[in-house]
Amino acid sequence: MKIANEQLKEMYLTMLKIRKFEKSASELFAAGKIPGFVHLYIGEEAVATGACANLREDDYITSTHRGHGHIIAKGGDLKYMMAELFGREDGYCKGKGGSMHIADATKGILGANGIVGAGHNIAVGSGLAIQHRKTDQVCVCFFGDASTNQSTFHEALNLASIWKLPVIFVCENNGYGISVSQKRHQAIADVSVRATAYNMPGITVDGNDLFAVYEAVNEAVARARKGQGPTLIECKTYRYRGHFEGDPVVYRPEGELEAWMRKDPIPKVEKYLLENGVMTEEEMKQLNDDVDKMVEEAIEFAEKSPLPSLESALKDVYSDIVEEGRVR
Amino acid sequence: MKKMTYAEGIREAMRFKMREDPNVILFGEDVGKFGGCFGVSAGLWEEFGDERIRDTPISEGAIVGAAVGSAACGIKPIAEIMFIDFITVGMDQLVNQAAKMRYMFGGEINLPMVVRVPAGAGIGAAAQHSQSLEAWLTHVPGLKVVYPSNAQDAYGLLLTSIDDQNPVVFIENKVLYSMQNDVDENELKPIPLGKARIAREGTDVTIITYGRQVYDSLEAAEILAKDGISAEVIDLRTLYPLDKETIFSSVEKTHKVVLVSEECKRGAYTGEIAAMIAEERFYECDAPIKRIGALNTPIPFATDLERYVVPNARDIELAVKSLF
Ligand SMILES: Cc1ncc(C[n+]2csc(CCOP(=O)(O)OP(=O)(O)O)c2C)c(N)n1
Ligand SMILES: [Mg+2]
């Protein structure tokens, strides 16, 4: 499949943004600047990037607790993301959501989600809205391997299939649900086989191969836009960090991480870009520096952003009701 | 006396029961080698192995369902739901199955099951990982609901819960897990459900609470004492069955009541208790019954906002003073 040079560069940029944003988030968490739970996407960048490269601004995604990568790939702004991680007023959720709940309605980002398996049916609802409006938008539903054991996964695939909804189910199979390996949480090796039960196409691709992901999603998006219904795409990948920051990671077999790191998705893309004359080494270096700066700026933005006012805790519970606060 | 954390209290009760009775098993997400999301079951897998400490898939419906089914068949399951927030996913099994089976089946069945659920705010975990849902649970006939505040009680109440023939939801406050308390080793034994504990004796006002707010209430009582107000603090320990006797005799002594919990105030279980006091001891009260809860919002992420939404000792102190 031929991908235009501009788009290749754009995809590379996205992967760098995710990697570097996440690396900083990890350090900032360790430094105590980010409270709560932080689930990092490092190692899985090719999935969100390859999938979202097929999407328009008016397409939708649903995300997970491990959502930073999806949000960046769908066009999320690093500044507002970082400010949200810091719990600041200028964050995407004005400090009320944090890492697990970032959303941007203007970009079709229907929210990261703290409930495993909750995105599947939200994606179905999004597909329903699209079908109802008769547009050619699509919704990409991201979820982990372990979430496919929730009833919601099965309900969603069934409904999307019988209604032929424009939903692309993208499973990020990183081999684990927290500490429980895929072998121990389900008796299948490939999540994609579950598509059979719902009579939709199912395919497994190398999730560390940007182009494999891009192509599979490209085809699925084309089908969805034509009203031909959903697809299940399983991307085999791996998370480098623990389940969340602070996870002592007692469950990995020795050497597993290292083996996956040798298949890191980013150098693969760099090699391709060089060999095909898409970018020179200098240009890549420049881009890396640019992204470092973007992340720096995002952190600066977050640090400068004020803490939310206490009364803001009461706002946005309803559109039209504000409950009472308290006097202390 | 020895020191024990709240988490250790829970763990040691499970260990004790598992050693005593081979029919006691534990399952849930990452409860095995990983030791549970909050480390509560750390070390149990090493002792009891895969057969009795089982990691489950992420399938809360299946986790609660498996507890119901295995309990109905004579096993004594302890099911851990990683956060009380996720009980929503297993709610049908809990509400329509576990809570109703004995009744529907004409009393012909025992369900000796415990569902352990960490609850509460305070760790910046935001709206889907910080809730207090005891009002939902206490509302359902057929469920018992336990909510310890310290290691000694956690230990004793869990022993009793595991042996109980009914489904028990055992709520654990996640902020308390690492808190160390003095425990009396000679008193590490079963505590009956439905028995409150007087955490501090007093004569002027009764503060009724449980869980983490026991500590806030004690802190407030200390401050109030300096201002000449003697507050009695009741730690309910069990929300259902509820220890009416202890509540009423304290009300009869102090004639003033403040109820404190971490639930958002609207529809909180404290409202049920307030109504009960109003119905049955109205003439004993010489001031309005006060309730303190979280604000009626989801739990926000940012640290200051979370602290603002969740009640603290100052809120209790002010509420008490408003009665005098
Ligand atoms: C309903 C529900 N159950 C459990 C959890 C706790 N939890 C958060 S992430 C996770 C593992 C998810 O694994 P997977 O879906 O494979 O995604 P990954 O973390 O590997 O990206 C678990 C058990 C949750 N957030 N929601
Ligand atoms: Mg996974």
Side-chain angles (χ1 to χ4, degrees):
Chain A
M1 183 178 274
K2 182 79 188 114
I3 308 174
N5 282 359
E6 274 322 298
Q7 181 156 23
L8 286 170
K9 285 188 207 167
E10 195 63 37
M11 284 156 82
Y12 177 51
L13 169 65
T14 300
M15 292 175 86
L16 290 180
K17 276 162 75 176
I18 300 174
R19 175 74 50 106
K20 290 175 189 285
F21 180 89
E22 296 282 76
K23 217 173 148 278
S24 292
S26 167
E27 289 159 10
L28 292 162
F29 180 88
K33 297 209 172 172
I34 297 175
F37 289 110
V38 176
H39 306 79
L40 297 183
Y41 198 66
I42 299 177
E44 306 187 16
E45 292 90 344
V47 182
T49 306
C52 290
N54 291 289
L55 300 184
R56 306 188 305 237
E57 184 147 302
D58 68 341
D59 289 323
Y60 297 101
I61 63 165
T62 63
S63 173
T64 67
H65 55 285
R66 199 177 301 291
H68 304 164
H70 311 139
I71 291 153
I72 292 172
K74 190 66 175 64
D77 188 314
L78 301 189
K79 293 199 301 295
Y80 303 138
M81 290 178 69
M82 194 58 93
E84 188 55 38
L85 264 55
F86 274 63
R88 300 300 170 98
E89 190 175 281
D90 298 307
Y92 262 116
C93 321
K94 307 194 181 85
K96 287 194 278 202
S99 164
M100 267 192 295
H101 305 295
I102 297 177
D104 185 351
T106 66
K107 299 225 162 69
I109 300 167
L110 300 176
N113 206 312
I115 301 296
V116 171
H120 305 134
N121 285 316
I122 295 173
V124 164
S126 161
L128 178 62
I130 295 168
Q131 192 177 62
H132 182 75
R133 285 200 304 260
K134 300 194 171 47
T135 67
D136 69 344
Q137 291 159 287
V138 300
C139 178
V140 168
C141 171
F142 291 105
F143 53 92
D145 49 300
S147 83
T148 66
N149 301 316
Q150 285 289 37
S151 57
T152 49
F153 170 77
H154 299 271
E155 293 158 3
L157 264 68
N158 187 53
L159 200 48
S161 175
I162 58 175
W163 288 351
K164 279 200 178 314
L165 298 178
V167 180
I168 298 93
F169 292 98
V170 176
C171 177
E172 301 175 319
N173 184 349
N174 59 13
Y176 289 89
I178 308 190
S179 72
V180 183
S181 65
Q182 193 201 355
K183 263 205 279 311
R184 296 176 60 234
H185 76 61
Q186 55 192 198
I188 49 172
D190 297 330
V191 169
S192 63
V193 301
R194 292 193 168 170
T196 313
Y198 305 101
N199 196 23
M200 71 171 75
I203 175 178
T204 296
V205 300
D206 176 355
N208 280 23
D209 180 343
L210 178 68
F211 304 118
V213 175
Y214 178 83
E215 279 181 30
V217 177
N218 189 273
E219 200 176 305
V221 166
R223 282 170 31 79
R225 291 207 200 281
K226 281 189 279 189
Q228 292 171 356
T231 305
L232 172 59
I233 299 169
E234 175 191 22
C235 306
K236 304 254 201 217
T237 183
Y238 199 78
R239 62 166 154 77
Y240 292 178
R241 305 288 305 166
H243 171 69
F244 39 47
E245 289 306 281
D247 172 2
V249 199
V250 294
Y251 44 82
R252 271 179 186 162
E254 209 168 308
E256 189 178 75
L257 170 64
E258 293 68 23
W260 275 96
M261 285 178 81
R262 285 193 288 277
K263 297 188 276 189
D264 192 298
I266 294 180
K268 262 195 218 171
V269 173
E270 288 172 338
K271 184 158 171 275
Y272 178 93
L273 296 178
L274 279 176
E275 284 176 358
N276 290 273
V278 183
M279 289 179 91
T280 63
E281 229 162 289
E282 292 74 65
E283 285 170 332
M284 283 196 312
K285 164 100 184 37
Q286 184 61 49
L287 197 63
N288 269 273
D289 292 347
D290 292 349
V291 175
D292 284 337
K293 218 160 127 230
M294 275 182 225
V295 174
E296 276 309 306
E297 281 165 10
I299 298 170
E300 213 173 294
F301 177 82
E303 276 176 337
K304 281 204 188 121
S305 173
L307 292 168
S309 73
L310 294 185
E311 304 77 63
S312 76
L314 301 160
K315 285 198 200 133
D316 296 326
V317 183
Y318 300 95
S319 64
D320 56 351
I321 304 172
V322 179
E323 286 260 1
E324 249 175 80
R326 59 168 108 245
V327 186
R328 271 182 182 157
Chain B
M1 286 288 173
K2 74 171 192 185
K3 295 265 183 217
M4 199 186 244
T5 65
Y6 187 76
E8 280 164 354
I10 297 161
R11 181 187 312 136
E12 292 316 312
M14 291 195 285
R15 192 195 306 278
F16 181 86
K17 278 292 171 193
M18 292 191 75
R19 283 180 183 168
E20 182 186 77
D21 183 348
N23 271 333
V24 178
I25 61 173
L26 168 72
F27 52 83
E29 292 160 20
D30 303 278
V31 299
K33 188 176 181 192
F34 193 69
C37 194
F38 294 97
V40 175
S41 53
L44 295 184
W45 175 79
E46 283 77 357
E47 178 171 350
F48 300 103
D50 285 332
E51 294 270 299
R52 296 180 66 199
I53 307 281
R54 293 177 184 238
D55 284 331
T56 64
I58 307 173
S59 307
E60 285 79 9
I63 294 169
V64 182
V68 174
S70 59
C73 298
I75 299 291
K76 287 180 167 177
I78 305 169
E80 178 180 301
I81 298 292
M82 194 181 275
F83 287 75
I84 198 170
D85 312 71
F86 313 156
I87 198 76
T88 54
V89 185
M91 208 64 168
D92 173 63
Q93 287 293 332
L94 195 62
V95 174
N96 288 326
Q97 315 304 327
K100 312 241 187 318
M101 278 169 82
R102 170 187 305 278
Y103 185 77
M104 293 189 300
F105 300 166
E108 287 303 309
I109 201 164
N110 284 327
L111 285 181
M113 57 180 274
V114 177
V115 181
R116 291 185 32 241
V117 285
I123 61 166
Q128 294 173 337
H129 289 72
S130 303
Q131 289 169 88
S132 294
L133 300 176
E134 43 274 25
W136 289 4
L137 299 163
T138 49
H139 182 62
V140 181
L143 300 179
K144 294 189 180 179
V145 182
V146 177
Y147 201 143
S149 70
N150 59 70
Q152 183 110 38
D153 289 352
Y155 183 91
L157 290 166
L158 187 52
L159 291 185
T160 313
S161 299
I162 292 169
D163 278 339
D164 201 284
Q165 293 302 318
N166 303 279
V168 177
V169 181
F170 194 88
I171 306 180
E172 301 166 8
N173 187 287
K174 57 176 92 86
V175 171
L176 299 184
Y177 276 139
S178 56
M179 182 181 276
Q180 270 199 338
N181 306 112
D182 288 326
V183 298
D184 181 345
E185 282 169 282
N186 301 321
E187 290 299 317
L188 281 174
K189 56 187 187 200
I191 296 171
L193 304 192
K195 280 262 165 271
R197 177 178 70 94
I198 309 273
R200 178 186 173 113
E201 292 202 32
T203 51
D204 299 335
V205 57
T206 301
I207 302 174
I208 302 171
T209 188
Y210 54 91
R212 183 180 164 199
Q213 279 62 48
V214 170
Y215 299 92
D216 294 336
S217 300
L218 290 172
E219 190 184 326
E222 198 61 44
I223 295 164
L224 290 163
K226 295 197 185 99
D227 293 326
I229 299 173
S230 161
E232 177 144 300
V233 178
I234 298 180
D235 176 359
L236 291 175
R237 304 201 288 193
T238 309
L239 305 186
Y240 188 84
L242 182 66
D243 186 352
K244 286 166 94 167
E245 215 176 283
T246 300
I247 293 172
F248 287 162
S249 55
S250 181
V251 174
E252 285 157 14
K253 175 169 68 174
T254 66
H255 311 290
K256 288 184 178 53
V257 182
V258 174
L259 293 131
V260 190
S261 84
E262 199 181 311
E263 296 175 285
C264 83
K265 189 171 163 185
R266 184 169 75 226
Y269 185 56
T270 50
E272 176 63 26
I273 303 173
M276 183 189 83
I277 296 168
E279 282 189 343
E280 301 186 38
R281 289 296 183 278
F282 184 79
Y283 297 107
E284 290 292 340
C285 298
D286 65 13
I289 299 170
K290 282 273 168 196
R291 290 198 301 135
I292 303 189
L295 300 180
N296 293 323
T297 72
I299 301 294
F301 165 70
T303 308
D304 288 352
L305 296 190
E306 186 181 33
R307 287 190 185 138
Y308 175 62
V309 164
V310 173
N312 66 16
R314 173 77 176 149
D315 300 318
I316 301 166
E317 178 202 338
L318 290 176
V320 169
K321 284 184 175 161
S322 78
L323 301 179
F324 289 88

